[in-house]
Amino acid sequence: MTETEQRATRDQRARFEALARVVAEPLHRYLLRRAEPDQVDDVLAETLLVLWRRIEDVPGLATEHAPVLVPDPDAVLPWCYGVARGCLANARRADRRRRSLLERLTWTAAGSARETGDADHTALHTALAQLRPLDREIVQLWAYEELTPSRIAEVTGLSANAVSIRLHRAKKKLAARLERKTGPGAGHETGEGQGSEESGRSSR
């Protein structure tokens, strides 16, 4: 990195730090009033990352050719609120996609729609991770991007028939794993060992 590039990087960091000192707390309050509690920190971090990347676009902020001053909140906050609003919208869309995936796969598992809790998300991610990478990609394209097998075939290079077969098999595997994780007997030992033990006692 040349000296000029190093100076530009230092200037960018200084301007970002000056901006963050002014906007971080108001942005946190903004998100607390709008986001789910478990979303706030992640969305705030994403917002600050966007501000870092777009530091040149922030209105009312000192330029690289001017001294770094304490930004005027009235000048910079409206634009920063807009960035936070966009990041929150992205987070909500991602959350809806995850919930949609869970609901669609749970429907496959149970044969009917049912209420699901946060624990099911963990079970779903675990079940997805156990699929082969290509099968996992096919399921995610179907559930998240809502693509048809023919469109998935374009993405993966497979035939539409091969996609349909893989998708069907993958959903069956996920359904079985989700049933084991979230079904009535989830987290409990099966009765096989108990039955054997009782048989052993009765034969004594």
Side-chain angles (χ1 to χ4, degrees):
M1 183 180 293
T2 67
E3 183 178 345
T4 300
E5 290 172 333
Q6 291 176 345
R7 186 166 55 252
T9 300
R10 287 195 300 268
D11 178 75
Q12 179 182 7
R13 184 180 297 112
R15 284 184 291 140
F16 172 76
E17 290 173 352
L19 177 67
R21 283 193 293 269
V22 170
V23 304
E25 186 58 33
L27 288 175
H28 187 258
R29 291 195 300 268
Y30 173 90
L31 292 169
L32 279 174
R33 289 189 286 267
R34 291 164 175 80
E36 296 296 326
D38 60 350
Q39 288 182 315
V40 172
D41 288 342
D42 287 342
V43 177
L44 178 60
E46 181 64 24
T47 301
L48 292 174
L49 180 59
V50 173
L51 294 180
W52 164 261
R53 291 172 175 169
R54 299 187 59 189
I55 197 72
E56 301 295 341
D57 298 330
V58 181
L61 191 62
T63 68
E64 61 179 328
H65 302 296
V68 176
L69 303 173
V70 177
D72 178 2
D74 291 337
V76 297
L77 269 174
W79 195 86
C80 294
Y81 284 143
V83 171
R85 184 171 180 268
C87 291
L88 179 57
N90 289 339
R92 285 171 172 166
R93 279 193 293 270
D95 188 60
R96 283 196 298 269
R97 287 181 175 181
R98 284 192 294 270
R99 291 180 184 278
S100 175
L101 173 60
L102 178 62
E103 289 167 3
R104 295 177 75 181
L105 293 177
T106 302
W107 181 286
T108 302
S112 62
R114 63 183 176 85
E115 292 295 322
T116 57
D118 291 340
D120 290 329
H121 288 275
T122 301
L124 171 62
H125 295 315
T126 300
L128 277 172
Q130 293 171 349
L131 293 177
R132 294 177 179 177
L134 181 56
D135 290 342
R136 183 167 59 249
E137 175 68 7
I138 287 171
V139 170
Q140 290 174 325
L141 288 170
W142 167 76
Y144 286 156
E145 278 66 50
E146 300 183 355
L147 299 184
T148 63
S150 61
R151 294 299 186 187
I152 296 173
E154 294 178 19
V155 176
T156 60
L158 300 172
S159 68
N161 186 54
V163 168
S164 295
I165 292 172
R166 281 178 173 268
L167 179 59
H168 176 71
R169 290 175 178 172
K171 286 194 291 183
K172 286 185 66 176
K173 289 179 182 178
L174 287 171
R177 287 165 181 164
L178 285 172
E179 278 294 282
R180 288 199 295 271
K181 291 286 186 180
T182 62
H188 299 282
E189 296 293 331
T190 64
E192 293 177 1
Q194 295 174 1
S196 298
E197 189 175 329
E198 290 172 359
S199 298
R201 284 200 296 267
S202 62
S203 63
R204 290 172 188 169

